[in-house]
Amino acid sequence: MDNIKRICLWSGPRNISTALMYAFAQREDTKVFDEPLYAYYLKNHPEAHRYHPGAQDILETMENNGDKVIEMMMANNEKPILFFKHMTHHLLDLDRGFMKETINIILTRNPKDMLPSFDKVINKPTINDVGYALHIGLLNHFKEENIPFTVLDSRKVLENPGETLQKLCDFIGIPFDENMLSWQPMQRPEDGIWAKYWYHNVHKSTGFQKYKPKEDPFPKHLNNLLEECKPHYKTLLKYSI
């Protein structure tokens, strides 16, 4: 195996995964990849097309075969550090053997903050839509297979990006780079073709936005889902940086 560090960020929806990708993109030693398994997910989950804007463009411009995507990830050697931003639900039933050779980070967010945001995009979300149960499945897989991993909580990153990213770099085994804390307000060439639908805020940003608690009351119709998510989130936090 080569000495390249291949980082896999396993994110849930409505999180700071794109900002983290932008942070790693500021490093001279790193190349970033935006959700390379997205087309594989859409091809094998066609009911998702109705709420994924640009689904057809994604299918037509990206590799649809998940095994070939993994081969690309493991063969790429363009830079000493490769950062792959993934959504956990994109994995579906792919063979997870490659995870023994990647550096794995689970990115989570307090469901009290996340669910109201997600609800604006997806009508009547369920536990299967919001990622917390999938993250616990991934966490259990890492433990069963003795695969090192860590958990990143988005609030901790936003409240103290320098200290949290320093600890994340320590876990990865790379020196922290101050350049990770800021970027130019613009699109990146690595942005997925879906960026025009989702990345407006990050394109206007110059760094991690300060954490702000939600001011609106929590939507009552999401209370049951919140109670389902809470124990999963609590478990994830036990492993967080």
Side-chain angles (χ1 to χ4, degrees), residues 7 9 16-34 79 81-85 105 107 152 157-158 160-162 164-166 168-169 172 174-188 190-191 199 202-203 205-209:
I7 303 163
L9 181 78
I16 60 165
S17 57
T18 307
L20 277 167
M21 179 178 81
Y22 274 44
F24 274 88
Q26 306 314 305
R27 300 179 62 104
E28 287 289 329
D29 58 4
T30 303
K31 180 173 175 61
V32 301
F33 298 80
D34 196 5
K79 290 279 183 86
I81 302 166
L82 305 175
F83 179 93
F84 300 97
K85 171 194 159 198
I105 304 157
L107 176 64
L152 206 54
V157 178
L158 298 179
N160 199 333
T164 312
L165 289 183
Q166 171 80 64
L168 180 64
C169 289
I172 295 167
I174 57 176
F176 172 64
D177 185 339
E178 288 279 347
N179 292 319
M180 297 173 74
L181 298 177
S182 60
W183 48 83
Q184 293 298 314
M186 58 188 282
Q187 299 179 27
R188 286 205 60 83
E190 300 92 349
D191 284 351
Y199 292 3
V202 80
H203 286 163
S205 70
T206 56
F208 291 99
Q209 302 299 297

Coordinates of all heavy atoms in Angstrom, one line a residue, residues 7 9 16-34 79 81-85 105 107 152 157-158 160-162 164-166 168-169 172 174-188 190-191 199 202-203 205-209:
I7 N -8.7 10.2 3.2 CA -9.6 10.6 4.3 C -11.0 10.4 3.7 O -11.4 11.0 2.7 CB -9.4 12.0 4.7 CG1 -8.0 12.2 5.2 CG2 -10.4 12.4 5.8 CD1 -7.5 13.7 5.3
L9 N -14.8 11.4 4.8 CA -15.7 12.0 5.7 C -17.1 11.5 5.4 O -17.6 11.5 4.3 CB -15.7 13.5 5.4 CG -16.6 14.3 6.3 CD1 -16.0 14.5 7.7 CD2 -17.0 15.7 5.7
I16 N -22.0 20.6 7.8 CA -21.0 21.5 7.3 C -20.0 20.7 6.5 O -18.8 21.1 6.4 CB -20.3 22.2 8.5 CG1 -19.6 21.2 9.5 CG2 -21.2 23.1 9.3 CD1 -18.6 21.8 10.4
S17 N -20.4 19.6 5.8 CA -19.5 18.8 5.1 C -18.8 19.6 3.9 O -17.6 19.4 3.7 CB -20.2 17.6 4.5 OG -21.3 17.9 3.7
T18 N -19.5 20.5 3.3 CA -18.9 21.2 2.2 C -17.9 22.2 2.7 O -16.8 22.4 2.1 CB -20.0 22.0 1.4 OG1 -21.0 21.0 1.0 CG2 -19.4 22.6 0.1
A19 N -18.2 22.9 3.8 CA -17.2 23.8 4.4 C -15.9 23.0 4.8 O -14.8 23.5 4.6 CB -17.8 24.5 5.7
L20 N -16.1 21.8 5.3 CA -14.9 21.0 5.7 C -14.1 20.7 4.4 O -12.9 20.7 4.4 CB -15.3 19.7 6.4 CG -15.6 19.9 7.9 CD1 -16.3 18.7 8.5 CD2 -14.2 20.2 8.7
M21 N -14.8 20.3 3.4 CA -14.2 20.1 2.1 C -13.4 21.3 1.6 O -12.2 21.2 1.2 CB -15.2 19.7 1.0 CG -14.6 19.4 -0.3 SD -15.8 18.8 -1.6 CE -16.4 20.4 -2.1
Y22 N -14.0 22.5 1.8 CA -13.3 23.7 1.4 C -12.1 24.0 2.3 O -11.0 24.4 1.8 CB -14.3 24.9 1.5 CG -15.1 25.1 0.2 CD1 -15.7 24.0 -0.4 CD2 -15.3 26.4 -0.3 CE1 -16.4 24.2 -1.6 CE2 -16.0 26.6 -1.5 CZ -16.6 25.5 -2.1 OH -17.3 25.7 -3.2
A23 N -12.2 23.6 3.6 CA -11.1 23.8 4.5 C -9.9 22.9 4.0 O -8.7 23.4 3.9 CB -11.5 23.4 5.9
F24 N -10.1 21.7 3.7 CA -9.1 20.8 3.3 C -8.5 21.2 1.9 O -7.3 21.0 1.6 CB -9.5 19.3 3.3 CG -9.4 18.7 4.6 CD1 -10.4 18.8 5.6 CD2 -8.2 18.0 5.0 CE1 -10.3 18.2 6.8 CE2 -8.1 17.4 6.2 CZ -9.1 17.5 7.2
A25 N -9.4 21.8 1.1 CA -8.9 22.2 -0.2 C -7.9 23.3 -0.2 O -7.2 23.6 -1.2 CB -10.1 22.7 -1.1
Q26 N -7.8 24.0 1.0 CA -6.8 25.1 1.1 C -5.4 24.6 1.3 O -4.4 25.4 1.3 CB -7.2 26.0 2.3 CG -8.6 26.6 2.3 CD -9.0 27.1 0.9 OE1 -8.3 28.0 0.3 NE2 -10.1 26.6 0.3
R27 N -5.2 23.3 1.6 CA -3.9 22.7 1.9 C -3.2 22.4 0.5 O -3.8 21.8 -0.4 CB -4.1 21.4 2.7 CG -4.7 21.6 4.0 CD -4.8 20.2 4.7 NE -3.5 19.6 4.9 CZ -2.9 19.6 6.1 NH1 -3.5 20.1 7.2 NH2 -1.7 19.1 6.2
E28 N -2.0 22.8 0.4 CA -1.2 22.5 -0.8 C -1.0 21.0 -1.0 O -0.9 20.5 -2.1 CB 0.2 23.2 -0.7 CG 0.1 24.7 -0.8 CD -0.2 25.1 -2.3 OE1 0.2 24.4 -3.2 OE2 -0.8 26.2 -2.4
D29 N -1.0 20.2 0.1 CA -0.7 18.8 0.0 C -2.0 17.9 -0.2 O -1.9 16.7 -0.2 CB 0.0 18.3 1.3 CG -0.8 18.6 2.6 OD1 -1.9 19.1 2.5 OD2 -0.2 18.3 3.7
T30 N -3.2 18.6 -0.4 CA -4.4 17.8 -0.4 C -5.3 18.1 -1.7 O -5.3 19.2 -2.2 CB -5.3 18.2 0.8 OG1 -4.5 18.0 2.0 CG2 -6.6 17.4 0.9
K31 N -5.9 17.0 -2.2 CA -6.9 17.1 -3.3 C -8.2 16.7 -2.7 O -8.3 15.6 -2.0 CB -6.5 16.3 -4.5 CG -7.5 16.3 -5.6 CD -7.0 15.6 -6.9 CE -8.1 15.6 -7.9 NZ -8.6 16.9 -8.4
V32 N -9.3 17.4 -3.0 CA -10.6 17.0 -2.4 C -11.5 16.5 -3.5 O -11.4 16.8 -4.7 CB -11.3 18.2 -1.7 CG1 -10.4 18.7 -0.6 CG2 -11.6 19.4 -2.7
F33 N -12.5 15.7 -3.1 CA -13.4 15.1 -4.0 C -14.8 15.2 -3.4 O -15.0 14.9 -2.2 CB -13.1 13.6 -4.2 CG -11.8 13.3 -4.8 CD1 -10.6 13.3 -4.1 CD2 -11.7 13.0 -6.2 CE1 -9.4 13.1 -4.6 CE2 -10.4 12.7 -6.7 CZ -9.3 12.7 -6.0
D34 N -15.8 15.7 -4.2 CA -17.1 16.0 -3.7 C -18.1 14.9 -4.1 O -18.5 14.7 -5.2 CB -17.6 17.3 -4.4 CG -18.8 17.9 -3.7 OD1 -19.2 17.4 -2.6 OD2 -19.3 18.9 -4.2
K79 N -2.1 13.6 -4.9 CA -1.5 14.4 -3.8 C -1.3 13.5 -2.6 O -1.9 12.4 -2.5 CB -2.5 15.5 -3.4 CG -2.7 16.6 -4.4 CD -1.6 17.7 -4.3 CE -1.7 18.8 -5.2 NZ -2.6 19.9 -4.7
I81 N -2.3 13.7 0.3 CA -3.6 13.6 1.1 C -4.8 13.7 0.1 O -4.8 14.7 -0.7 CB -3.7 14.7 2.2 CG1 -2.5 14.6 3.2 CG2 -5.0 14.5 3.0 CD1 -2.3 15.8 4.1
L82 N -5.7 12.8 0.2 CA -6.9 12.8 -0.6 C -8.1 12.9 0.4 O -8.2 12.1 1.3 CB -7.0 11.6 -1.5 CG -5.8 11.4 -2.4 CD1 -6.0 10.0 -3.2 CD2 -5.6 12.5 -3.4
F83 N -9.0 13.9 0.2 CA -10.1 14.1 1.0 C -11.4 13.8 0.3 O -11.7 14.5 -0.7 CB -10.1 15.5 1.6 CG -11.3 15.8 2.5 CD1 -11.2 15.7 3.9 CD2 -12.5 16.3 2.0 CE1 -12.3 16.0 4.7 CE2 -13.6 16.6 2.8 CZ -13.4 16.4 4.2
F84 N -12.1 12.7 0.6 CA -13.3 12.3 0.0 C -14.5 12.7 0.9 O -14.7 12.1 1.9 CB -13.3 10.8 -0.3 CG -12.2 10.4 -1.2 CD1 -11.1 9.8 -0.6 CD2 -12.3 10.5 -2.6 CE1 -10.0 9.4 -1.4 CE2 -11.3 10.1 -3.4 CZ -10.1 9.6 -2.8
K85 N -15.3 13.6 0.4 CA -16.5 14.0 1.1 C -17.6 13.1 0.7 O -18.0 13.0 -0.5 CB -16.9 15.5 0.8 CG -18.3 15.9 1.3 CD -18.7 17.2 0.6 CE -20.1 17.4 0.7 NZ -20.6 18.4 -0.3
I105 N -13.9 9.5 9.2 CA -14.5 10.5 10.1 C -16.0 10.5 9.9 O -16.5 10.7 8.8 CB -13.9 11.9 9.8 CG1 -12.4 11.9 9.8 CG2 -14.5 12.9 10.7 CD1 -11.7 13.0 9.0
L107 N -19.3 12.7 10.5 CA -19.6 14.1 10.8 C -21.1 14.1 11.2 O -22.0 13.7 10.4 CB -19.4 14.9 9.6 CG -19.9 16.4 9.7 CD1 -19.1 17.2 10.8 CD2 -19.8 17.1 8.4
L152 N -16.9 13.9 14.5 CA -16.8 15.3 14.5 C -18.2 15.8 14.6 O -19.1 15.5 13.9 CB -16.2 15.8 13.1 CG -15.4 17.1 13.0 CD1 -14.3 17.2 14.1 CD2 -14.9 17.3 11.6
V157 N -17.0 22.3 15.8 CA -16.1 22.9 14.7 C -16.5 24.4 14.6 O -15.6 25.2 14.6 CB -16.4 22.2 13.4 CG1 -15.6 22.9 12.3 CG2 -16.0 20.7 13.4
L158 N -17.7 24.7 14.6 CA -18.2 26.1 14.4 C -17.8 27.0 15.6 O -17.5 28.2 15.4 CB -19.7 26.2 14.1 CG -20.1 25.5 12.9 CD1 -21.7 25.6 12.7 CD2 -19.4 26.0 11.6
N160 N -15.2 26.5 17.7 CA -13.8 26.6 17.8 C -13.1 25.9 16.7 O -12.5 24.8 16.9 CB -13.3 26.1 19.2 CG -12.0 26.6 19.6 OD1 -11.1 27.0 18.7 ND2 -11.7 26.7 20.9
P161 N -13.1 26.4 15.5 CA -12.6 25.7 14.3 C -11.1 25.4 14.4 O -10.7 24.3 14.1 CB -12.9 26.6 13.1 CG -13.3 27.9 13.7 CD -13.8 27.7 15.1
G162 N -10.3 26.4 15.0 CA -8.9 26.1 15.0 C -8.5 25.0 15.9 O -7.8 24.1 15.5
T164 N -10.5 22.5 17.1 CA -11.1 21.3 16.6 C -10.4 20.7 15.4 O -10.1 19.5 15.3 CB -12.6 21.5 16.3 OG1 -13.2 22.2 17.4 CG2 -13.3 20.1 16.2
L165 N -10.0 21.5 14.4 CA -9.3 21.0 13.3 C -7.9 20.6 13.6 O -7.4 19.7 13.0 CB -9.3 22.1 12.2 CG -10.6 22.4 11.5 CD1 -10.5 23.4 10.3 CD2 -11.3 21.1 10.9
Q166 N -7.3 21.3 14.6 CA -6.0 20.8 15.1 C -6.1 19.4 15.6 O -5.2 18.5 15.3 CB -5.5 21.7 16.2 CG -4.2 21.3 16.9 CD -3.0 21.6 16.2 OE1 -2.6 22.7 16.0 NE2 -2.3 20.5 15.8
L168 N -8.4 17.2 14.8 CA -8.7 16.3 13.7 C -7.4 16.0 12.9 O -7.2 14.8 12.6 CB -9.7 17.0 12.8 CG -10.2 16.2 11.6 CD1 -10.9 14.9 12.0 CD2 -11.1 17.0 10.6
C169 N -6.6 17.0 12.7 CA -5.3 16.7 12.0 C -4.4 15.8 12.8 O -3.7 14.9 12.2 CB -4.6 18.0 11.7 SG -5.4 19.0 10.4
I172 N -5.7 12.4 12.1 CA -5.3 11.9 10.7 C -3.8 11.6 10.6 O -3.4 10.7 9.9 CB -5.7 13.0 9.7 CG1 -7.3 13.2 9.7 CG2 -5.2 12.7 8.3 CD1 -7.7 14.4 9.0
I174 N -1.5 14.4 10.3 CA -0.9 15.4 9.5 C -0.8 16.7 10.3 O -1.5 16.9 11.2 CB -1.8 15.6 8.2 CG1 -3.2 16.0 8.6 CG2 -1.8 14.4 7.3 CD1 -4.1 16.4 7.5
P175 N 0.2 17.6 9.9 CA 0.3 18.8 10.6 C -0.9 19.7 10.3 O -1.5 19.7 9.2 CB 1.6 19.4 10.1 CG 1.8 18.8 8.7 CD 1.2 17.4 8.8
F176 N -1.4 20.4 11.3 CA -2.4 21.4 11.1 C -1.9 22.5 10.2 O -0.8 23.0 10.3 CB -2.9 22.0 12.5 CG -3.9 23.1 12.4 CD1 -5.1 22.9 11.8 CD2 -3.5 24.4 12.8 CE1 -6.0 24.0 11.7 CE2 -4.4 25.4 12.8 CZ -5.7 25.2 12.2
D177 N -2.8 23.1 9.4 CA -2.4 24.1 8.5 C -3.4 25.3 8.7 O -4.6 25.1 8.5 CB -2.5 23.6 7.0 CG -2.1 24.7 6.0 OD1 -2.0 25.9 6.3 OD2 -1.7 24.2 4.8
E178 N -2.9 26.4 9.1 CA -3.7 27.6 9.4 C -4.6 28.0 8.2 O -5.7 28.6 8.3 CB -2.9 28.8 9.7 CG -2.2 28.7 11.1 CD -3.2 29.1 12.2 OE1 -4.3 29.7 12.0 OE2 -2.9 28.8 13.4
N179 N -4.2 27.7 7.0 CA -4.9 28.0 5.8 C -6.3 27.3 5.7 O -7.2 27.8 5.0 CB -4.1 27.6 4.5 CG -2.9 28.5 4.3 OD1 -3.0 29.7 4.5 ND2 -1.8 27.9 3.9
M180 N -6.5 26.3 6.5 CA -7.7 25.6 6.5 C -8.9 26.4 7.1 O -10.1 26.1 7.0 CB -7.6 24.3 7.4 CG -6.6 23.3 6.8 SD -6.3 21.8 7.9 CE -7.9 20.9 7.7
L181 N -8.5 27.5 7.8 CA -9.5 28.3 8.5 C -10.2 29.3 7.7 O -11.2 29.9 8.1 CB -8.9 28.9 9.8 CG -8.4 27.9 10.8 CD1 -7.7 28.7 11.9 CD2 -9.5 27.0 11.3
S182 N -9.7 29.6 6.5 CA -10.4 30.6 5.6 C -10.2 30.3 4.1 O -9.2 29.6 3.8 CB -9.8 32.0 6.0 OG -8.4 32.0 5.7
W183 N -11.1 30.8 3.3 CA -11.0 30.6 1.9 C -11.7 31.8 1.2 O -12.4 32.6 1.8 CB -11.7 29.3 1.5 CG -13.0 29.1 2.1 CD1 -14.2 29.6 1.6 CD2 -13.3 28.3 3.3 NE1 -15.2 29.2 2.4 CE2 -14.7 28.4 3.5 CE3 -12.5 27.6 4.2 CZ2 -15.4 27.8 4.5 CZ3 -13.2 27.0 5.2 CH2 -14.6 27.0 5.4
Q184 N -11.4 31.9 -0.1 CA -12.0 33.0 -0.9 C -13.5 32.7 -1.1 O -13.9 31.5 -1.3 CB -11.3 33.1 -2.2 CG -9.9 33.6 -2.1 CD -9.8 35.0 -1.5 OE1 -10.6 35.9 -1.9 NE2 -8.9 35.2 -0.6
P185 N -14.4 33.7 -1.1 CA -15.8 33.4 -1.4 C -16.0 33.2 -2.8 O -16.2 34.1 -3.6 CB -16.5 34.7 -0.9 CG -15.4 35.8 -1.0 CD -14.1 35.1 -0.8
M186 N -16.0 31.9 -3.2 CA -16.2 31.6 -4.6 C -16.5 30.1 -4.8 O -16.4 29.3 -3.8 CB -14.9 31.9 -5.4 CG -13.7 31.2 -4.8 SD -12.1 31.7 -5.5 CE -12.1 30.8 -7.1
Q187 N -16.9 29.7 -6.0 CA -17.0 28.3 -6.3 C -15.7 27.6 -6.4 O -14.7 28.3 -6.6 CB -17.8 28.1 -7.6 CG -19.2 28.7 -7.6 CD -19.9 28.5 -8.9 OE1 -19.6 27.6 -9.7 NE2 -20.8 29.4 -9.3
R188 N -15.6 26.3 -6.2 CA -14.4 25.5 -6.4 C -14.6 24.6 -7.6 O -15.6 24.1 -7.8 CB -14.1 24.7 -5.1 CG -13.6 25.5 -3.9 CD -12.8 24.6 -3.0 NE -11.6 24.0 -3.7 CZ -10.5 24.7 -3.8 NH1 -10.3 25.9 -3.4 NH2 -9.5 24.1 -4.5
E190 N -13.7 21.7 -7.8 CA -14.1 20.3 -7.4 C -15.6 20.2 -7.0 O -16.1 19.1 -6.8 CB -13.3 19.9 -6.1 CG -11.8 19.8 -6.4 CD -11.1 21.2 -6.0 OE1 -11.8 22.2 -5.8 OE2 -9.9 21.1 -5.9
D191 N -16.3 21.3 -6.9 CA -17.7 21.3 -6.6 C -18.5 20.3 -7.4 O -18.3 20.3 -8.7 CB -18.4 22.7 -6.7 CG -18.0 23.7 -5.6 OD1 -17.4 23.2 -4.7 OD2 -18.4 24.9 -5.8
Y199 N -25.1 25.1 -2.6 CA -23.9 25.6 -2.0 C -23.8 27.2 -2.0 O -22.8 27.8 -1.8 CB -22.6 25.2 -2.8 CG -22.3 23.7 -2.7 CD1 -23.1 22.8 -2.0 CD2 -21.2 23.2 -3.4 CE1 -22.8 21.5 -1.9 CE2 -20.9 21.8 -3.3 CZ -21.7 21.0 -2.6 OH -21.4 19.6 -2.5
V202 N -22.0 28.5 1.2 CA -20.6 28.3 1.3 C -19.8 29.1 0.3 O -18.7 29.5 0.5 CB -20.3 26.8 1.3 CG1 -20.3 26.2 -0.1 CG2 -18.9 26.5 1.9
H203 N -20.5 29.3 -0.9 CA -19.8 30.1 -1.9 C -19.7 31.6 -1.5 O -18.8 32.3 -2.0 CB -20.6 30.1 -3.2 CG -20.5 28.8 -3.9 ND1 -21.3 28.4 -4.9 CD2 -19.6 27.8 -3.8 CE1 -21.0 27.2 -5.4 NE2 -19.9 26.8 -4.7
S205 N -19.2 32.4 1.7 CA -18.5 32.4 3.0 C -17.0 32.6 2.8 O -16.4 32.3 1.7 CB -18.7 31.1 3.7 OG -18.1 30.0 3.1
T206 N -16.3 33.0 3.9 CA -14.8 33.1 3.8 C -14.2 32.2 4.9 O -13.0 32.3 5.1 CB -14.4 34.6 4.1 OG1 -15.0 35.0 5.3 CG2 -14.9 35.5 3.0
G207 N -15.0 31.4 5.6 CA -14.5 30.5 6.6 C -15.7 29.9 7.3 O -16.9 30.0 6.8
F208 N -15.5 29.2 8.4 CA -16.6 28.6 9.1 C -17.5 29.6 9.8 O -17.0 30.5 10.5 CB -16.0 27.6 10.2 CG -15.3 26.4 9.6 CD1 -14.0 26.3 9.5 CD2 -16.1 25.3 9.2 CE1 -13.4 25.2 8.9 CE2 -15.5 24.2 8.6 CZ -14.1 24.2 8.5
Q209 N -18.7 29.5 9.6 CA -19.7 30.5 10.1 C -19.8 30.3 11.6 O -19.8 29.1 12.1 CB -21.1 30.3 9.5 CG -21.0 30.5 8.0 CD -20.5 31.9 7.5 OE1 -21.2 32.9 7.8 NE2 -19.4 31.9 6.8

